[in-house]
Amino acid sequence: MTLTPQGGGGRHGGGRRRGEADGDRGRRSRRVLRWSASVVALAIAGTATAGYLYYEHLNGNIKKESLNIGDSKDRAAASKANAAGQKPLNILLIGSDARDTAENQKLGGAKDIGTAARADVQMLLHVSADRTNMSVVSMPRDTLVDIPKCTDADTGKVYAATADTMTNASLERGGPGCTVATWEKLTDIHVDHFMMVDFSGVVSMADAIGGVPVCVDANIYSRTSSGHGSGLKLEKGTTSVKGKQALQWLRTRYGFEDGSDIARTKAQHMYMNSMVRQLRSNATLSNPDKLLKLAETATRALTVDDRLGTVTKLYDLSKELKKVPTKRITMTTMPWVYSSDGNRVLPKPTDAAKLWRLVREDIALDGKDKKKTTTTTTVTDKAAADDEIAVQVQNGTSSGTQSAVTGRAAAVTGLLVGKGFTKAAADSSAPLSEDRTLVRYPSADLAGAAQRVAKALGIPTGQVKKSADVDGVTLVVGADWRSGTKYTADDDTTPASASALNAADTKACMHVDPDYTW
């Protein structure tokens, strides 16, 4: 059990428990303060380090905002617990390009302080319910998405919903809570927390750990004749970058591969993976003086949701993240296709939807999950004849990325009738949203009938479920069967287009565009 400062752990918290001695309180505080003082280190590596700081002061540094400021109708359902009662964690990591201070202005290359911040980096971090694996999905900032209506929690200003808008614009529409709302609307994945860091936070983290090793396959200088580019200049091979150079690496697009935002995302994955390895093997963060400086800078650069806004809660979260071994951390990019004008990208319909489903269903993206056993009800009663089985067919083809297919329930009902299930009937109620096609039944006496329907359509027995939400055998046509007369069960492999990269891979190296070599 953790000690929560009085006053909700906010700016003026930090009261003593009744009967607690100064020595006990001091030891307790030191235990609580063993956390990695940067949002990136905390979120990706989950490394707790020794520090001796006053958490009341650090709590005052941490900025807090509302978790989700979108319409309640767009909220994704909370993640369900597994058989052991454990729940997965979904944390949205946001890299802000804010120029709200002179330091951030200088690092970002902006001419004016106070320009609206955008979400240049967006990564959804999914920690499995059993804490055995972690999946990270990046969305390129050039992705066109639908941004829901958002209401600024501080000013009350309402931002109308927009379509086909670059995803990085979500941050300037009321804050990180709008970026969270945008992700939930797109993916139908419930976000538990967000963590946002600015330019200076990235620089301070790289300095604190003594540099992050990165690799390029040729000399690179990210600068165009017109002055565009990050200014990154490195020699071929591996270099340990820190400070401004680390920020340049994370922001480089001119010079990496095809010069797209996709290439930049790949470079960010390599950096994060390398930093994970550094943090988990580097002892320099045990130096109290270095940690003090890092914590001051990082907490001032850190913005989190209001349910995560104390050192105590961040420390508790870091302990959960630390349970995941490095070799089970998988970095991916949302599968994408170019927009019609070729200047932006869109989620790749089938592959992106599949990736979101894998995350929603807590399936590891590295393919190393232990095979999950499926429990089925023992059938004791023989199923009735096909023409005696009443089947209700529901349309569940709606998803976070696609609208329901009109008339799908009626089409599959016709298919069932043609197979002899003459009592099948289409449900005309509003479409549902199911990732997979399911056959549901309310009681054991209908298990045989449900399995008979599934067999007739080629639906795996693992997708036949007992449910108290139905009155009879019910077929829910899911988003995995939007067309056609033959059902093909979807597999659980990560799409190749997601470009998966394991955090333990030490051989990854960015390809340099020959036009940017020196």
Side-chain angles (χ1 to χ4, degrees):
M1 183 171 180
T2 57
L3 172 61
T4 302
Q6 291 180 354
R11 208 173 280 269
H12 303 294
R16 179 189 302 179
R17 285 179 176 175
R18 181 176 297 176
E20 184 176 47
D22 288 337
D24 292 337
R25 183 169 179 263
R27 286 190 292 272
R28 175 61 182 164
S29 296
R30 288 194 291 272
R31 289 198 301 273
V32 168
L33 288 165
R34 294 187 186 112
W35 67 296
S36 47
S38 157
V39 57
V40 181
L42 174 67
I44 300 295
T47 304
T49 61
Y52 302 93
L53 311 172
Y54 294 103
Y55 64 75
E56 294 94 338
H57 170 66
L58 292 182
N59 283 341
N61 286 347
I62 300 171
K63 295 180 286 292
K64 298 175 281 292
E65 293 199 28
S66 299
L67 174 62
N68 189 313
I69 58 173
D71 275 353
S72 58
K73 64 181 178 61
D74 293 319
R75 288 301 314 263
S79 302
K80 296 180 180 179
N82 61 15
Q86 303 164 302
K87 286 189 175 184
L89 275 172
N90 294 308
I91 306 165
L92 187 62
L93 309 180
I94 304 170
S96 164
D97 71 351
R99 273 80 168 184
D100 53 355
T101 66
E103 183 180 6
N104 278 331
Q105 179 196 16
K106 181 179 179 181
L107 291 168
K111 295 180 179 180
D112 300 313
I113 294 179
T115 55
R118 292 161 296 185
D120 262 12
V121 178
Q122 298 176 41
M123 297 182 179
L124 182 68
L125 186 156
H126 172 84
V127 189
S128 66
D130 60 9
R131 306 300 188 255
T132 62
N133 66 88
M134 186 187 300
S135 301
V136 182
V137 184
S138 290
M139 186 192 302
R141 71 167 190 171
D142 292 347
T143 305
L144 296 179
V145 297
D146 294 340
I147 300 179
K149 182 180 79 172
C150 292
T151 304
D152 191 306
D154 295 326
T155 67
K157 181 176 179 178
V158 177
Y159 295 84
T162 65
D164 295 328
T165 304
M166 277 179 58
T167 184
N168 69 340
S170 60
L171 186 60
E172 59 189 1
R173 298 169 59 80
C178 191
T179 304
V180 170
T182 300
W183 272 80
E184 288 203 359
K185 181 176 176 62
L186 173 67
T187 68
D188 200 29
I189 296 170
H190 181 82
V191 177
D192 299 292
H193 299 292
F194 73 78
M195 307 178 82
M196 184 169 70
V197 69
D198 59 17
F199 293 146
S200 61
V202 172
V203 170
S204 66
M205 184 60 213
D207 286 345
I209 63 177
V212 176
V214 295
C215 177
V216 288
D217 65 2
N219 293 351
I220 181 174
Y221 182 43
S222 177
R223 184 67 70 195
T224 67
S225 57
S226 58
H228 290 93
S230 69
L232 178 70
K233 190 172 186 179
L234 296 175
E235 293 183 354
K236 177 182 178 179
T238 300
T239 303
S240 184
V241 297
K242 57 182 178 180
K244 185 176 180 179
Q245 200 173 46
L247 182 62
Q248 288 173 333
W249 175 276
L250 293 170
R251 303 190 71 215
T252 293
R253 67 185 296 172
Y254 295 108
F256 282 157
E257 299 190 344
D258 62 357
S260 69
D261 196 52
I262 308 302
R264 171 164 48 195
T265 298
K266 183 178 179 180
Q268 290 168 353
H269 289 170
M270 289 185 186
Y271 180 94
M272 297 300 185
N273 286 343
S274 183
M275 189 174 63
V276 168
R277 297 191 296 269
Q278 284 291 99
L279 284 164
R280 293 192 170 185
S281 63
N282 195 332
T284 60
L285 292 186
S286 62
N287 184 308
D289 292 334
K290 290 183 178 180
L291 186 59
L292 174 61
K293 181 179 178 180
L294 170 63
E296 281 291 334
T297 304
T299 53
R300 289 185 186 281
L302 181 62
T303 302
V304 299
D305 64 274
D306 43 21
R307 294 188 297 175
L308 196 60
T310 68
V311 173
T312 301
K313 292 176 182 177
L314 290 170
Y315 170 70
D316 289 343
L317 176 60
S318 78
K319 290 192 298 182
E320 293 300 301
L321 300 176
K322 189 181 179 183
K323 296 174 183 177
V324 181
T326 304
K327 64 182 180 180
R328 295 300 309 280
I329 299 174
T330 305
M331 296 279 187
T332 62
T333 300
M334 177 199 74
W336 56 274
V337 293
Y338 280 114
S339 59
S340 57
D341 62 7
N343 294 323
R344 299 288 182 263
V345 300
L346 300 166
K348 189 174 184 178
T350 301
D351 286 4
K354 181 179 182 181
L355 191 65
W356 303 140
R357 177 184 67 78
L358 295 177
V359 174
R360 279 194 300 270
E361 295 183 5
D362 198 22
I363 297 171
L365 299 187
D366 62 4
K368 296 179 180 178
D369 267 341
K370 291 182 179 179
K371 190 172 181 179
K372 297 178 180 178
T373 57
T374 302
T375 56
T376 56
T377 301
T378 301
V379 179
T380 56
D381 296 329
K382 185 177 180 180
D386 292 351
D387 61 0
E388 292 297 320
I389 298 175
V391 186
Q392 185 177 54
V393 183
Q394 298 178 331
N395 186 346
T397 57
S398 173
S399 71
T401 57
Q402 296 176 300
S403 300
V405 178
T406 303
R408 190 61 184 149
V412 177
T413 296
L415 179 63
L416 275 172
V417 171
K419 289 180 176 292
F421 294 85
T422 55
K423 288 190 176 182
D427 185 345
S428 60
S429 57
L432 305 174
S433 178
E434 286 290 344
D435 293 322
R436 298 196 192 198
T437 295
L438 301 171
V439 180
R440 292 173 170 158
Y441 62 94
S443 54
D445 61 308
L446 288 176
Q451 291 183 16
R452 175 69 194 123
V453 171
K455 183 178 181 179
L457 295 174
I459 299 170
T461 57
Q463 291 166 229
V464 180
K465 308 284 185 180
K466 185 178 180 181
S467 172
D469 296 330
V470 296
D471 296 325
V473 176
T474 304
L475 169 65
V476 185
V477 185
D480 60 345
W481 195 16
R482 293 175 60 86
S483 62
T485 57
K486 181 179 180 181
Y487 178 74
T488 302
D490 200 1
D491 62 64
D492 291 338
T493 58
T494 301
S497 56
S499 303
L501 180 66
N502 189 275
D505 183 356
T506 60
K507 297 181 180 179
C509 201
M510 283 302 295
H511 174 63
V512 176
D513 183 338
D515 291 337
Y516 290 87
T517 59
W518 57 276

